[in-house]
Amino acid sequence: MGFSENTRGLVLAMVSSLFIGTSFILKKKGLKRAAAAGTRAGGGGYTYLLEPLWWVGMITMIVGEVSNFVAYIYAPAVLVTPLGALSIIISAVLAHFMLRERLPRLGVVGCILCIVGSVVIVIHAPQEHMPTSVQEIWILAIQPAAFVIYAAATISIVVALMLHFEPRYGQTNVLVYLGICSLMGALTVVSIKAIGIAIKLTLEGISQIAYPQTWFFLAVAVICVIMQLNYLNKALDTFNAAIVSPIYYVMFTTLTIIASAIMFKDWAGQDASSIVSELCGFITVLSGTIVLHVTREQEPANPPGNVSWYDGEDIKVMEDGHYIMLNDSNFFH
């Protein structure tokens, strides 16, 4: 008994979330090891390319992204996209055990708000029309010029983030790096969707290889993926993985839904209840993002009661002594 296409897409999407959630942690550990031996990725270094663990994480992410790509071929985005929330849960749990990154209770609430809001948006997102050729997708992209305007605005914002905001706020505001990742990611998804349709039609005997639009979408996808990986590395190296994962998921999902709705004209015919539900979802997502930021800002640099022994060469120069630092004022009472 064969499985339906939706079932195949569902299984592939779940496998994708497992691999992608794990890849965040493996790459983070690889980045930490590389930073100890050279310049951090957040500071413009590329020593992580020599770290085997980073490559394990990279391969894991590629497997997850390929699974996600195939899932979009078999199942609609409204089924595949919400399952990306599983990667947040997986990465948060693994970060707790493997990276010792503590996520406060308020941060957990923020994660839940982000996930719930994103799910609400996806559930009430308009159904997309499935094009039957790459040429039809091209026509959807350029007539009318709504998506062209969206793409131009996206590229303009990305350039502004890279040239103006990254040098000033990249190391202190996670939205800079993740904004670039998410904006480019939305363009990646619509391009990947076009490529997936081309591959599926070609396998069914309707070749799409000869059309220049197929290769154009492929080139856009490659460029966007490379930029995503570069800035995702910087975000992971600079900020807590438990913070990066949910915010990246929220921004990526939201922008992908917007790009898909504009590209495939699925926003036409939406009723009032769906629009209100989507607005409520956006407000919930925004609330969760704010909670996550507040939690990160309030987290102390050193946890209470922490005891650190210093016996390194940099300390021994001070009369070759052994020192202890106490981070709990109650110790003296």
Side-chain angles (χ1 to χ4, degrees):
M1 182 177 179
F3 294 101
S4 66
E5 290 195 348
N6 272 10
T7 301
R8 294 175 182 176
L10 176 64
V11 173
L12 286 168
M14 294 178 66
V15 171
S16 170
S17 294
L18 174 62
F19 278 91
I20 291 175
T22 304
S23 72
F24 272 106
I25 308 305
L26 294 176
K27 291 175 68 178
K28 178 75 174 183
K29 288 183 70 69
L31 289 169
K32 284 188 172 182
R33 290 185 181 180
T39 307
R40 297 169 55 238
Y46 293 94
T47 54
Y48 62 85
L49 295 175
L50 302 177
E51 175 56 49
L53 187 59
W54 183 87
W55 282 107
V56 173
M58 184 66 187
I59 293 172
T60 304
M61 174 170 279
I62 291 174
V63 173
E65 293 295 349
V66 170
S67 298
N68 196 54
F69 166 70
V70 179
Y72 275 108
I73 296 177
Y74 284 105
V78 71
L79 175 63
V80 176
T81 307
L83 294 178
L86 292 176
S87 65
I88 299 176
I89 300 173
I90 292 169
S91 62
V93 172
L94 292 178
H96 176 76
F97 290 103
M98 297 179 64
L99 299 179
R100 308 300 181 189
E101 293 184 353
R102 176 178 171 272
L103 184 61
R105 293 179 181 178
L106 190 59
V108 174
V109 174
C111 289
I112 294 174
L113 287 173
C114 289
I115 295 172
V116 170
S118 297
V119 170
V120 170
I121 294 172
V122 172
I123 289 176
H124 294 278
Q127 295 287 339
E128 64 178 3
H129 166 68
M130 183 62 66
T132 57
S133 69
V134 174
Q135 288 181 310
E136 182 180 345
I137 298 176
W138 183 259
I139 293 174
L140 288 173
I142 62 176
Q143 296 178 0
F147 186 77
V148 175
I149 295 174
Y150 170 82
T154 296
I155 294 173
S156 299
I157 295 173
V158 168
V159 171
L161 288 172
M162 292 174 61
L163 299 182
H164 178 75
F165 291 95
E166 182 186 356
R168 295 170 174 80
Y169 310 108
Q171 297 293 313
T172 58
N173 193 327
V174 68
L175 295 180
V176 175
Y177 291 146
L178 295 186
I180 297 174
C181 289
S182 303
L183 287 166
M184 300 307 291
L187 295 181
T188 300
V189 169
V190 295
S191 299
I192 288 293
K193 185 73 175 180
I195 296 169
I197 293 173
I199 293 175
K200 186 176 181 180
L201 290 173
T202 300
L203 293 177
E204 292 175 352
I206 308 175
S207 178
Q208 304 291 306
I209 298 177
Y211 296 112
Q213 292 91 339
T214 301
W215 300 102
F216 174 80
F217 285 122
L218 179 61
V220 171
V222 170
I223 294 172
C224 291
V225 166
I226 292 174
M227 290 188 64
Q228 276 183 267
L229 293 177
N230 182 37
Y231 282 94
L232 183 57
N233 283 331
K234 291 185 177 183
L236 285 171
D237 188 49
T238 307
F239 302 98
N240 191 309
I243 300 297
V244 171
S245 298
I247 294 179
Y248 177 56
Y249 166 75
V250 168
M251 295 179 66
F252 173 76
T253 301
T254 303
L255 291 171
T256 296
I257 291 174
I258 294 173
S260 179
I262 296 174
M263 176 76 167
F264 298 107
K265 312 298 186 292
D266 293 327
W267 39 265
Q270 280 263 257
D271 54 32
S273 62
S274 295
I275 295 175
V276 171
S277 297
E278 290 172 23
L279 290 175
C280 291
F282 273 105
I283 293 173
T284 305
V285 168
L286 180 60
S287 301
T289 304
I290 293 174
V291 170
L292 282 171
H293 274 291
V294 171
T295 301
R296 180 177 179 272
E297 291 172 358
Q298 291 180 347
E299 187 174 358
N302 294 301
N306 181 53
V307 179
S308 301
W309 289 91
Y310 291 88
D311 196 18
E313 293 299 326
D314 56 333
I315 297 298
K316 285 187 176 181
V317 296
M318 296 188 295
E319 300 179 359
D320 292 334
H322 297 270
Y323 297 86
I324 182 173
M325 180 176 69
L326 300 173
N327 291 318
D328 189 353
S329 57
N330 294 327
F331 177 84
F332 298 101
H333 297 310

